[in-house]
Amino acid sequence: EWPANARGAMACEAVRALALSPEPEALLKVDSIASKFKFRQIRAAASNALDFAASQLGMTREELSDRIVPDLGFDERMERSFIVTITPELEIQVRDQEGKKLKNMPAPGKRDEQEKAALAYEEFKSMKKQMKAVVSNQKQRLEQALSAKRLWEKGDWLDLFTKKPVMHPFAIGLIWGIYKEETLTDSFRYMEDGSLNTVDEEEYELPKEARIGLVHPVELTEEELETWKGQLEDYEVIQPISQLDRPVYRLEEEEKGKKSLERFDGIQMNDLSLIGKMQSLGWYTGSVQDAGCFFEFYREDRELGAELHFSGTYIAGQNEEVTVESVRFYRAGEVK
């Protein structure tokens, strides 16, 4: 409510204060604000607060985000009594002692120890709500990791994806790669029993000094891509984020080596539609000029920045046609 009522500075201070809390859940909330929040000023404050917290703990920002993924009260088998489990679809499932599925955790009954039962019931409701927020946040983080080609050291990957219960379904549902100097050398899948599988369904062992990342389909041959898709289909695995099915756009020969992409030049579309699509994909509006107009969108990952130039519109849009121009690329941080 604060930034919506011209109290953005106050909201920024609140976010910084939240990041000083010793509770992991507080940092998790700040991490969520930093990755998706309506007001850019607050998002930037959360990002700076996380950078500060990471520096104080002697780790990178990404390592901090890994560390604060909660276990939600589950052990490494993803169970806690009633029995409550995390499904491969990243949902909470409740079963009774006979193994029968329940739609929800039963409300405390007359025979239950009222105080303990009520507390457990409230904990379950809170955990279920937190689970939804955590899954949403981790999906966005992994989308960014795939886009920015983030790599994990072997030990860090095992700690995050095989020991944190909420990340276990992500490990199972995605295709992972071994990278040497940023180049994919092997791809593998993590199985429910803890073993690893190759594209040919042979058992795989992680190299000693492995650096692991999410495989982008642009890195696979057509045969490898179709084989991986078939393997996931055979095991009835639904990917938690769009990975193998995401569209791939390859450079034409005459486009290679250039700093701008002009294949979209001249495309016309509604400005409200353009704004909505770009913002939903993580792009920001560029510098606002006289009379509240802007003429580009931009996005920056780790090292690369891109600007989409167009004929321009007002910051809130006018429901009019605009013309898309070129996409220009630059090193992240070089353009203010």
Side-chain angles (χ1 to χ4, degrees):
E1 294 175 0
W2 284 339
N5 291 281
R7 294 291 184 271
M10 187 185 296
C12 289
E13 292 297 337
V15 168
R16 294 187 189 104
L18 190 61
L20 297 175
S21 167
E23 297 297 327
E25 188 176 348
L27 278 178
L28 193 68
K29 177 63 71 176
V30 177
D31 189 48
S32 177
I33 293 171
S35 62
K36 51 174 184 178
F37 198 71
K38 183 177 179 180
F39 298 95
R40 184 177 167 194
Q41 178 188 16
I42 319 304
R43 195 163 57 239
S47 182
N48 291 336
L50 284 176
D51 286 339
F52 175 75
S55 69
Q56 294 297 300
L57 294 169
M59 60 181 69
T60 67
R61 162 83 172 276
E62 290 169 334
E63 288 169 341
L64 175 62
S65 294
D66 290 344
R67 188 76 60 87
I68 61 177
V69 175
D71 60 20
L72 303 177
F74 291 88
D75 60 21
E76 289 184 15
R77 294 174 58 201
M78 293 173 285
E79 292 185 353
R80 70 187 266 187
S81 295
F82 202 64
I83 299 168
V84 182
T85 61
I86 300 176
T87 71
E89 294 75 36
L90 290 159
E91 296 175 348
I92 296 295
Q93 186 177 89
V94 185
R95 294 177 182 267
D96 61 18
Q97 291 180 334
E98 285 73 43
K100 181 182 177 182
K101 290 182 185 178
L102 306 175
K103 289 185 178 180
N104 210 333
M105 174 76 81
K110 292 181 179 179
R111 296 183 181 180
D112 291 321
E113 197 171 333
Q114 290 301 307
E115 188 174 336
K116 287 185 177 180
L119 180 61
Y121 188 68
E122 289 304 314
E123 283 183 351
F124 172 78
K125 288 199 298 183
S126 175
M127 179 267 295
K128 193 173 182 181
K129 183 179 178 181
Q130 190 183 2
M131 173 75 177
K132 186 176 180 180
V134 168
V135 167
S136 174
N137 196 33
Q138 296 310 312
K139 282 184 177 181
Q140 187 164 8
R141 283 189 67 218
L142 289 173
E143 280 279 0
Q144 291 170 348
L146 176 57
S147 176
K149 204 171 184 177
R150 183 189 172 187
L151 301 179
W152 286 266
E153 299 297 333
K154 177 181 176 180
D156 294 335
W157 186 86
L158 290 171
D159 286 344
L160 178 61
F161 290 100
T162 70
K163 295 182 180 178
K164 296 234 177 185
V166 75
M167 301 304 288
H168 205 255
F170 286 110
I172 294 170
L174 296 167
I175 305 303
W176 301 91
I178 303 297
Y179 289 83
K180 187 173 183 180
E181 297 178 355
E182 306 295 321
T183 301
L184 178 68
T185 59
D186 287 309
S187 58
F188 68 92
R189 189 164 78 86
Y190 180 78
M191 311 295 285
E192 286 194 50
D193 62 3
S195 63
L196 306 177
N197 236 16
T198 67
V199 68
D200 299 319
E201 297 203 49
E202 295 179 355
E203 194 165 337
Y204 184 74
E205 186 174 340
L206 290 177
K208 188 176 180 180
E209 304 294 332
R211 300 186 75 217
I212 304 169
L214 285 165
V215 174
H216 195 288
V218 77
E219 300 174 293
L220 299 172
T221 65
E222 197 63 40
E223 183 181 356
E224 288 172 329
L225 184 60
E226 292 306 314
T227 305
W228 272 128
K229 286 181 179 180
Q231 189 178 140
L232 292 179
E233 189 175 332
D234 291 343
Y235 283 86
E236 299 182 343
V237 173
I238 298 174
Q239 294 205 289
I241 65 170
S242 176
Q243 185 188 22
L244 298 187
D245 286 331
R246 68 197 302 121
V248 171
Y249 303 94
R250 301 182 188 275
L251 290 176
E252 302 293 338
E253 199 60 40
E254 63 271 15
E255 293 173 329
K256 293 179 180 179
K258 293 185 177 181
K259 291 185 178 180
S260 65
L261 194 64
E262 298 174 357
R263 66 170 72 174
F264 307 110
D265 200 350
I267 291 178
Q268 292 188 317
M269 63 187 300
N270 180 274
D271 61 351
L272 296 178
S273 177
L274 179 64
I275 291 171
K277 290 184 192 312
M278 297 303 284
Q279 290 182 342
S280 69
L281 292 168
W283 291 66
Y284 301 118
T285 55
S287 300
V288 180
Q289 309 294 325
D290 293 341
C293 289
F294 72 102
F295 298 86
E296 66 268 330
F297 292 91
Y298 75 95
R299 174 172 171 168
E300 291 186 3
D301 289 327
R302 274 183 171 183
E303 300 175 357
L304 183 68
E307 291 180 338
L308 173 71
H309 291 254
F310 71 108
S311 56
T313 187
Y314 289 98
I315 198 71
Q318 290 185 290
N319 197 25
E320 293 182 353
E321 291 289 298
V322 293
T323 303
V324 175
E325 298 168 1
S326 62
V327 182
R328 304 174 193 173
F329 298 93
Y330 60 93
R331 290 192 182 279
E334 286 187 353
V335 178
K336 300 294 182 185

